[in-house]
């Protein structure tokens, strides 16, 4: 990587950790974000770093190319609306951000002669397969407009790889957690549970709580994403980014209640989420063989870091 690195969605949860990692490795980074869900506070640790330049702009902006410098060597495309619920409420908006956005970014990559684009896709593309752990060859099955938008993005990556010879790598993120994950009704279960536990509010488990997920800590994810940009054998590949263990949501609620709540929150059950995936864990064999990557952060330690972070950042 000789030229600069572009990170779209640099003020977001995963994007900001990725920028930190790239700067630690002495890369020059241009970060763009439309600040719709991104936050300036996520960029505090690097916003004045000499190797970093921030441009507030939307990935769909028709003038995006002229706002970037021409010596970009590598693109990490993370900017997206990353919520299944938001996509069900407003599929047109999600299509614009997630599909028009990636076509615009790929077209700029082509025009600027970028050598590789790494796209952050999602395990949502698999739908609800029966066989666990999910391997990358599993047929895709979009169960939400969000999943459809990520599949469309993946198809555009393949089309630009075939048509223009751009190197491409697709990462399918499973359930990511850690500091800076936004807290709202649209955010991940760990962020919601921790915020409720710290406030002493009830922790709401949707359904029986026996559904499972494999959680992966955000700095592990940033490390793997950088490797995807640098590893020659990752060109043209689709690679899962999952945690290594399946954990029941009810167990997550209990762990967080013990670790984060001073008085102990009530754990209450509400109706299951419509279309909820029952179990979700990705095979990490390909990540290991292609990238030499295995997640390192133990879940309990990652939870502790995350709880401490929310404690010190809550108003
Ligand atoms: C995550 C991603 C989604 C997509 C998908 C891929 C988030 C927010 N969503 O969806 O973008 O990549 O993975 O598979 O990261 N739950 C509760 N109580 C709550 C909130 C959630 O019980 O207050 C349950 C929920 O019903 C589900 C589980 O926790 O069974 C995980 O929910 P999630 O929204 O964190 O993540 P998921 O896997 O639906």
């Amino acid at each position: 990587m000789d030229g600069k690195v572009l990170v779209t969605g640099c003020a977001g949860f995963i994007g900001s950790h990725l920028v930190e990692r790239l700067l630690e490795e002495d890369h020059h980074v241009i970060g763009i974000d439309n600040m719709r869900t991104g936050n300036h506070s996520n960029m505090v640790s690097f916003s004045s770093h000499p190797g970093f330049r921030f441009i507030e702009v939307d990935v769909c902006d028709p003038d995006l190319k002229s706002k970037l410098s021409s010596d970009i060597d590598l693109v990490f495309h993370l900017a997206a609306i990353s919520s299944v619920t938001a996509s069900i409420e407003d599929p047109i908006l999600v299509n614009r951000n997630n599909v028009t956005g990636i076509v615009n970014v790929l077209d700029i990559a082509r025009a600027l002669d970028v050598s590789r684009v790494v796209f952050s896709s999602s395990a949502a593309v698999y739908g609800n397969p029966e066989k666990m752990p999910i391997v990358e060859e599993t047929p895709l099955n979009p169960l939400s407009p969000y999943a459809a938008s990520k599949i469309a993005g993946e198809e555009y990556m393949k089309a630009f790889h075939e048509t223009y010879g751009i190197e491409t790598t697709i990462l399918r993120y499973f359930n990511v957690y850690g500091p800076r994950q936004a807290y709202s009704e649209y955010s991940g279960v760990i962020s919601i549970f921790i915020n409720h536990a710290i406030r002493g509010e009830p922790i709401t488990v949707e359904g029986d709580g026996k559904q499972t997920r494999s959680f992966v800590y955000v700095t592990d994810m940033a490390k793997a994403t950088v490797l995807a940009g640098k590893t020659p054998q990752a060109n043209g590949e689709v690679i899962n980014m999952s945690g290594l263990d399946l954990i029941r949501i009810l167990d997550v609620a209990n762990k967080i209640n013990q670790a984060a709540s001073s008085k102990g929150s009530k754990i209450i059950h509400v109706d299951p989420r419509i279309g909820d995936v029952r179990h979700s864990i990705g095979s990490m064999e390909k990540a290991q063989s292609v990238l030499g990557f295995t997640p390192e952060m133990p879940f309990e330690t990652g939870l502790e870091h995350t709880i401490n972070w929310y404690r010190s950042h809550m108003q």
Side-chain angles (χ1 to χ4, degrees):
M1 283 195 252
D2 298 327
K4 292 184 179 123
V5 179
L6 174 67
V7 176
T8 74
C10 67
F13 164 47
I14 305 174
S16 62
H17 286 277
L18 177 64
V19 172
E20 258 173 9
R21 174 105 201 171
L22 288 163
L23 292 171
E24 272 164 27
E25 295 189 13
D26 291 331
H27 296 292
H28 282 85
V29 180
I30 300 174
I32 65 168
D33 205 299
N34 65 0
M35 304 311 277
R36 186 183 169 277
T37 52
N39 204 316
H40 282 288
S41 64
N42 288 341
M43 299 194 289
V44 166
S45 67
F46 55 81
S47 55
S48 51
H49 190 292
F52 179 70
R53 183 157 74 95
F54 174 62
I55 307 169
E56 184 169 337
V57 61
D58 194 285
V59 276
C60 300
D61 190 322
D63 296 326
L64 180 57
K65 182 159 80 80
S66 63
K67 295 178 180 169
L68 300 169
S69 73
S70 54
D71 62 340
I72 293 170
D73 197 36
L74 175 63
V75 175
F76 292 98
H77 179 54
L78 288 86
I81 296 180
S82 61
S83 162
V84 171
T85 316
S87 82
I88 292 166
E89 286 168 9
D90 195 343
I92 303 280
L93 179 71
V94 169
N95 183 74
R96 179 185 174 277
N97 270 262
N98 296 9
V99 184
T100 306
I102 192 168
V103 179
N104 201 31
V105 167
L106 282 166
D107 196 47
I108 289 165
R110 171 178 77 92
L112 297 183
D113 231 357
V114 164
S115 54
R116 183 175 297 185
V117 179
V118 178
F119 171 47
S120 298
S121 184
S122 163
V125 300
Y126 294 120
N128 217 343
E130 279 175 11
K131 256 183 132 182
M132 297 289 145
I134 303 168
V135 293
E136 287 84 352
E137 295 73 28
T138 304
L140 304 186
N141 181 22
L143 299 178
S144 66
Y146 172 71
S149 77
K150 287 293 181 182
I151 293 174
E154 292 193 6
E155 295 297 324
Y156 272 110
M157 289 282 282
K158 287 180 200 155
F160 273 68
H161 180 76
E162 292 299 328
T163 314
Y164 306 110
I166 298 178
E167 289 192 7
T168 54
T169 305
I170 295 165
L171 299 178
R172 291 184 180 146
Y173 292 168
F174 282 66
N175 291 70
V176 191
Y177 75 105
R180 301 187 199 142
Q181 187 165 33
Y183 166 55
S184 78
E185 59 182 309
Y186 300 115
S187 50
V189 63
I190 290 189
S191 153
I192 295 174
F193 283 179
I194 293 177
N195 277 277
H196 284 217
I198 293 176
R199 292 185 168 98
E201 293 166 5
I203 294 176
T204 316
V205 171
E206 295 166 348
D208 61 8
K210 291 182 184 155
Q211 69 270 40
T212 59
R213 295 292 186 272
S214 56
F215 294 96
V216 56
Y217 194 66
V218 66
T219 54
D220 272 334
M221 209 55 132
K223 180 181 173 190
T225 304
V226 174
L227 283 170
K230 283 183 169 178
T231 309
Q233 307 87 281
N235 179 26
E237 298 292 343
V238 179
I239 306 171
N240 283 339
M241 283 296 141
S242 167
L244 299 174
D245 303 305
L246 271 179
I247 303 172
R248 297 192 318 173
I249 294 303
L250 188 56
D251 294 338
V252 175
N254 281 316
K255 274 182 203 296
I256 290 176
N257 202 13
Q258 267 176 9
S261 176
S262 46
K263 288 171 258 158
S265 289
K266 261 197 201 142
I267 294 180
I268 56 174
H269 288 262
V270 295
D271 286 345
R273 196 183 275 181
I274 295 167
D276 193 37
V277 171
R278 192 67 181 159
H279 302 291
S280 176
I281 185 165
S283 163
M284 286 296 282
E285 274 183 29
K286 192 166 176 187
Q288 176 57 46
S289 63
V290 176
L291 304 177
F293 171 79
T294 301
E296 283 169 5
M297 180 64 79
F299 187 58
E300 267 71 17
T301 317
L303 263 191
E304 203 182 306
H305 291 322
T306 310
I307 291 166
N308 289 341
W309 184 85
Y310 283 114
R311 276 215 181 97
S312 59
H313 286 79
M314 268 168 68
Q315 274 96 26

